[in-house]
Amino acid sequence: VQLVESGGDLVQAGGSLRLSCAASGFTFDDYAIGWFRQAPGKEREGVSCIASSEGYTYYADSVQGRFTISVDSAKNTVYLQMTSLKSEDTAVYYCAAGETRWVVAGAGDPRLYYYWGQGTQVTVGS
């Protein structure tokens, strides 16, 4: 099982970025994919999650209306489209996979995810 994030960059406030999470070794039939972020000195925060087999999505209040999660099953890739970026969105972003049956009960809880990517840096300049 492997998760590889990409797409992180330096962007100005108000700008947009699209992160990708390429998965291998499993399919999205039984696994949900979550996006988390961690800023220096802060705890890891659940940002968004998608369980395509259940038609389920989750967004943290801090990103609701600005971020959109989507999945391309043919490519086994999950995307996080981020718009109206703010300086407080600056963090390392990680994608993670967990069994759908558990994740949908608490999508923002990192303890429910088994597999993690290495992270990609997003920096939003003011």
Side-chain angles (χ1 to χ4, degrees), residues 5-79:
E5 303 97 332
S6 62
D9 206 345
L10 169 65
V11 63
Q12 292 301 306
S16 300
L17 277 177
R18 189 179 78 161
L19 305 183
S20 301
C21 174
S24 60
F26 67 96
T27 68
F28 298 143
D29 291 342
D30 298 316
Y31 281 83
I33 300 295
W35 282 99
F36 290 80
R37 65 187 181 187
Q38 190 164 21
K42 294 188 177 181
E43 292 187 356
R44 191 164 295 192
E45 173 192 16
V47 173
S48 184
C49 172
I50 188 165
S52 55
S53 63
E54 299 291 324
Y56 170 86
T57 58
Y58 159 84
Y59 295 97
D61 289 344
S62 57
V63 306
Q64 180 75 46
R66 300 189 298 123
F67 291 9
T68 303
I69 194 168
S70 62
V71 60
D72 184 335
S73 297
K75 296 182 178 180
N76 233 33
T77 298
V78 171
Y79 302 99

